[in-house]
Amino acid sequence: MAGLILLSTSCVNKFLPEDLDSFDQDAGFTQLVYKPKLGRTTVYTDNYNTANSTLPLTFEITSITNKDGSPAPELTQSFPVKVWKQPYLGTEKSVAEIEAKRGIEYRPLFQIHKHSGNMVMWANALSSFVKCSPADCYVFDVVARNSGGYKHTTRMELTPEREADYEPSNYDPETGLITSEYLPATSTRSLYTEDNNYILEEDVHVYIRQNEDMEGEEKTLTFRFYDDNYVPINPAEFDKTDWDKMAEGLFFNKEQTSTYVRYNVAYPLPLLELPMSYTNKEGNKVHLSFTASRLSTSGYRINPNLQFDFAIYTEGHWEIIFVFSTGKPLLGNIESTNH
């Protein structure tokens, strides 16, 4: 009898329904139009509301085409992209240590993370072969599923914007044409010319350019300062600036002369869009602060300060040049500077 009961229980269990996940049909994307900037890695996070669905969900791009429905192989084929294999901490001591944490993998230039729904446009996507605004660009479909169900979201829009090598940019995002010769400083404080005129942010003309003449495997970033006659200003006059500790974990192997300060760096700058000790509060730009110390004519000490926030996305030998267009600033005492 016991055997019969066990047999009966076994037969019943065989026909019981399996436990299924719950898929809430109210789940869905909170963003349907994506406008990533080409030339940099852009990650869209928290863009899917799972509602009361059982996690994890699985996401897949099922179709991506031009808006007219024609194939878009530039977004479906795989390309070599640089990915982080180990976390970047900001405590790294060399470019080599940073590069050891990154590696090359072949991936589509636009993809969705399998279980988060986060979308990524990789930095290798450029306007030379990927469509960008103002042109009609791309539409794509995504399916989200678990064992309890699924939901298709169709014809989401991907409209990339033209790349800019650096930010802030003085190039038009649609035409790629230059809109101004220079950029203003982010802020100035207690900065006066030798004629005792206050130096405003717009009085400091900032130029970001590549030095095409430089060679070398390790890429660099150089800072230069000039007065209104383009006479070099010795960086040591910013005598309260700790050049050795500027952007620790990002700038390495300082080389300082009477006309420039140069570092070895790994691009992009910043490496990640993450608040660090050397970034602005949003974490999307490197924050530079150049400070001097001097006695005023009244005999009290003031600290002239120049700040500039920037990002550079394209690898190379870059220079940031500061021109004080209204006159040479009163700064610090070179002799008191520790190199």
Side-chain angles (χ1 to χ4, degrees):
M1 188 67 164
L4 179 60
I5 294 172
L6 287 174
L7 179 61
S8 300
T9 303
S10 174
C11 290
V12 170
N13 287 342
K14 182 178 179 181
F15 294 104
L16 286 175
E18 295 181 10
D19 289 335
L20 295 178
D21 293 335
S22 169
F23 189 94
D24 190 336
Q25 288 298 317
D26 288 333
F29 284 98
T30 58
Q31 182 175 349
L32 299 177
V33 178
Y34 296 84
K35 298 181 177 182
K37 199 89 166 178
L38 296 175
R40 66 188 74 169
T41 297
T42 303
V43 182
Y44 293 94
T45 61
D46 301 322
N47 57 331
Y48 195 85
N49 176 18
T50 59
N52 294 313
S53 301
T54 305
L55 301 180
L57 298 180
T58 299
F59 296 86
E60 180 186 0
I61 294 177
T62 56
S63 171
I64 185 164
T65 66
N66 293 302
K67 267 196 172 179
D68 62 6
S70 61
E74 65 272 26
L75 296 182
T76 57
Q77 296 176 358
S78 293
F79 293 82
V81 299
K82 187 173 284 189
V83 300
W84 289 95
K85 299 289 192 178
Q86 300 176 48
Y88 169 70
L89 304 175
T91 57
E92 290 75 7
K93 303 299 182 185
S94 67
V95 171
E97 188 177 346
I98 290 173
E99 294 300 354
K101 293 185 172 186
R102 302 196 286 188
I104 299 296
E105 292 183 0
Y106 280 80
R107 299 188 180 188
L109 294 179
F110 184 70
Q111 63 178 158
I112 191 167
H113 286 171
K114 184 175 181 180
H115 292 303
S116 67
N118 294 346
M119 296 186 189
V120 184
M121 177 66 91
W122 291 98
N124 304 53
L126 301 173
S127 61
S128 57
F129 65 100
V130 174
K131 288 183 177 179
C132 62
S133 176
D136 282 340
C137 296
Y138 307 98
V139 291
F140 63 101
D141 304 340
V142 174
V143 62
R145 61 163 63 92
N146 62 20
S147 65
Y150 63 90
K151 185 175 183 179
H152 275 102
T153 306
T154 60
R155 295 194 67 79
M156 287 192 283
E157 295 186 18
L158 176 63
T159 307
E161 295 181 352
R162 186 181 302 274
E163 66 269 23
D165 288 331
Y166 52 82
E167 294 284 353
S169 176
N170 50 343
Y171 287 85
D172 185 279
E174 292 194 352
T175 65
L177 299 176
I178 193 166
T179 56
S180 62
E181 286 187 35
Y182 52 82
L183 303 161
T186 301
S187 73
T188 60
R189 186 178 68 246
S190 302
L191 264 178
Y192 292 87
T193 68
E194 293 176 340
D195 296 329
N196 205 36
N197 294 315
Y198 190 78
I199 299 174
L200 300 169
E201 288 84 358
E202 56 266 30
D203 296 329
V204 184
H205 297 177
V206 185
Y207 300 84
I208 304 177
R209 68 178 185 88
Q210 284 205 63
N211 186 337
E212 304 289 354
D213 297 326
M214 278 198 69
E215 298 179 353
E217 207 165 300
E218 283 209 349
K219 305 308 178 185
T220 59
L221 179 64
T222 302
F223 301 112
R224 300 181 188 270
F225 304 87
Y226 293 92
D227 68 13
D228 54 322
N229 294 312
Y230 284 85
V231 175
I233 297 172
N234 192 330
E237 292 189 44
F238 290 95
D239 57 344
K240 291 300 179 182
T241 302
D242 192 341
W243 296 99
D244 289 312
K245 293 185 177 180
M246 181 171 284
E248 286 187 285
L250 190 69
F251 296 173
F252 307 99
N253 301 333
K254 182 200 73 174
E255 177 190 346
Q256 184 168 347
T257 73
S258 62
T259 59
Y260 67 81
V261 179
R262 177 174 293 145
Y263 299 93
N264 288 347
V265 296
Y267 287 96
L269 300 175
L271 287 162
L272 296 171
E273 193 166 314
L274 188 70
M276 306 287 287
S277 61
Y278 54 76
T279 68
N280 59 4
K281 64 181 181 180
E282 295 82 9
N284 61 358
K285 290 184 174 68
V286 177
H287 175 71
L288 299 175
S289 182
F290 307 105
T291 305
S293 179
R294 69 176 182 88
L295 290 175
S296 71
T297 54
S298 303
Y300 62 88
R301 187 161 295 281
I302 59 176
N303 296 304
N305 177 261
L306 166 66
Q307 297 184 19
F308 185 62
D309 294 354
F310 75 98
I312 299 178
Y313 305 100
T314 304
E315 190 176 80
H317 295 286
W318 286 90
E319 296 194 348
I320 301 181
I321 299 167
F322 301 89
V323 178
F324 294 89
S325 67
T326 56
K328 186 180 186 300
L330 290 167
L331 298 171
N333 183 1
I334 296 176
E335 294 177 1
S336 68
T337 305
N338 290 321
H339 288 267

